[in-house]
Amino acid sequence: MSDLLERLRGRGWRMTAQRRVVAEVLDGEHVHLTADEVHARAVAKLPEISRATVYNTLGEMVTLGEVLEVSTDRRAKRYDPNAHRPHHHLVCARCGAIRDVHPAGDPLADLPAGERFGFTVSAVEVTYRGICPNCAATA
Amino acid sequence: MSDLLERLRGRGWRMTAQRRVVAEVLDGEHVHLTADEVHARAVAKLPEISRATVYNTLGEMVTLGEVLEVSTDRRAKRYDPNAHRPHHHLVCARCGAIRDVHPAGDPLADLPAGERFGFTVSAVEVTYRGICPNCAATA
DNA sequence: TCCTACAATGGACTAAGTCCAAGTCAAGTG
DNA sequence: CACTTGACTTGGACTTAGTCCATTGTAGGA
């Protein structure tokens, strides 16, 4: 069963059919879906679920820290259920697909104090951009 | 006079009043403006300039590689005239302000071939997130 | 000066997401 | 089990950021 679902239940989440299907959709995917893709898959399991609910639910999961929001471009945000392992992203410039990657090194350490301008730096995001094998083939 | 303008002219750009003001706006700013902010400043110099033209012109400058497009969140894209010196960005999570930073190390080198999944990786963006001194003070 | 291809215009359109008032229902209480 | 209540869901209107396109204007060469 769903780990994600267990964790959410453990946090006192009220369990509804809608939330269940959203959690299941995310949990079952190893790619990063957009909210609309999540909605499309959720509708397949529960036809009357609304877009607003999908947005609400995703937003709550992000707030709870169970899911990461990734916005690599002007297109739709994508949701990453792999919130418990630090990683970066490899994005296809053509189709927008995202993969998780685990590079060596700690980029936070690469930012010397002299370059911090008084900011309290708490996080770093690294986005590698390129063309995925799929898009390269159909170029 | 404007360096940016000179470079664009040198590339055979047709010079129009609209393009001139857009280039001047970008060139004069050391913060990173959104397209709408660019438009607002452009209108101050040339009241009849249209939004579409500002978008077109910014897009062309990005294509020519004279300006960088930065989208650090779901809000509007920002335009960075400092395209000729590689740098990363330090973003305030509260107010959205952006500063350029120049960290040590080359993150591209940190992505081993085994983590590239067949992608042709051509660029890397690093975004440091934190709270700027200003926002920290008024917290 | 005239031509013409390139550029500008503005209004309609789209995509992604937010907001809200009204209806529904999960789960605790008696 | 039935009741209650506040949390959850709904769908449609709205917003923001940006794109598209047919028409009109104009820079710069002949």
Side-chain angles (χ1 to χ4, degrees):
Chain A
M1 233 290 151
S2 161
D3 252 16
L4 179 54
L5 217 44
E6 286 311 309
R7 287 199 302 272
L8 293 170
R9 198 193 308 274
R11 285 161 181 270
W13 237 34
R14 188 141 137 191
M15 196 47 56
T16 67
Q18 292 81 350
R19 288 174 167 189
R20 194 175 353 261
V21 303
V22 171
E24 282 171 6
V25 164
L26 276 183
D27 216 47
E29 294 285 345
H30 286 164
V31 299
H32 301 30
L33 301 174
T34 63
D36 259 10
E37 287 164 351
V38 172
H39 180 234
R41 282 165 172 70
V43 163
K45 295 167 181 259
L46 183 69
E48 64 282 16
I49 193 172
S50 76
R51 251 165 35 87
T53 297
V54 171
Y55 276 103
N56 289 342
T57 306
L58 289 172
E60 284 154 17
M61 295 197 290
V62 169
T63 302
L64 292 175
E66 294 293 344
V67 162
L68 286 180
E69 211 171 60
V70 186
S71 79
T72 57
D73 55 24
R74 186 103 301 282
R75 294 179 258 186
K77 283 182 205 163
R78 288 167 181 275
Y79 293 87
D80 181 350
N82 187 12
H84 291 292
R85 185 156 158 235
H87 60 274
H88 299 313
H89 292 111
L90 179 52
V91 179
C92 177
R94 200 157 306 157
C95 69
I98 302 184
R99 293 214 56 144
D100 289 355
V101 292
H102 306 86
D106 175 10
L108 248 189
D110 286 347
L111 188 65
E115 284 278 359
R116 296 192 182 202
F117 303 104
F119 277 58
T120 309
V121 180
S122 54
V124 59
E125 269 161 38
V126 179
T127 305
Y128 296 92
R129 294 187 187 273
I131 304 295
C132 74
N134 229 356
C135 285
T138 65
Chain B
M1 234 288 153
S2 161
D3 252 16
L4 178 54
L5 217 44
E6 286 311 310
R7 286 199 303 272
L8 293 170
R9 199 193 305 276
R11 287 163 179 269
W13 236 35
R14 188 142 137 189
M15 196 47 56
T16 67
Q18 291 84 348
R19 288 175 168 189
R20 195 176 352 265
V21 303
V22 171
E24 281 171 8
V25 164
L26 277 183
D27 215 47
E29 294 287 344
H30 286 164
V31 299
H32 301 29
L33 302 174
T34 64
D36 258 10
E37 288 163 352
V38 172
H39 181 234
R41 283 167 172 71
V43 163
K45 294 167 181 257
L46 183 69
E48 64 281 18
I49 192 171
S50 75
R51 249 167 35 88
T53 297
V54 171
Y55 276 103
N56 289 342
T57 305
L58 289 172
E60 284 154 16
M61 295 198 292
V62 169
T63 301
L64 291 174
E66 294 294 343
V67 162
L68 286 180
E69 214 170 60
V70 186
S71 78
T72 56
D73 55 24
R74 185 104 300 281
R75 295 179 259 186
K77 284 181 204 163
R78 290 170 180 272
Y79 292 88
D80 180 350
N82 187 12
H84 290 292
R85 191 158 152 233
H87 60 274
H88 298 314
H89 292 111
L90 179 52
V91 179
C92 177
R94 198 158 306 157
C95 69
I98 301 183
R99 291 213 59 142
D100 290 352
V101 293
H102 306 86
D106 174 10
L108 248 190
D110 286 346
L111 187 65
E115 284 278 359
R116 296 192 182 201
F117 303 103
F119 277 58
T120 308
V121 180
S122 54
V124 58
E125 267 161 39
V126 180
T127 305
Y128 296 93
R129 295 188 187 274
I131 304 295
C132 72
N134 229 358
C135 286
T138 64

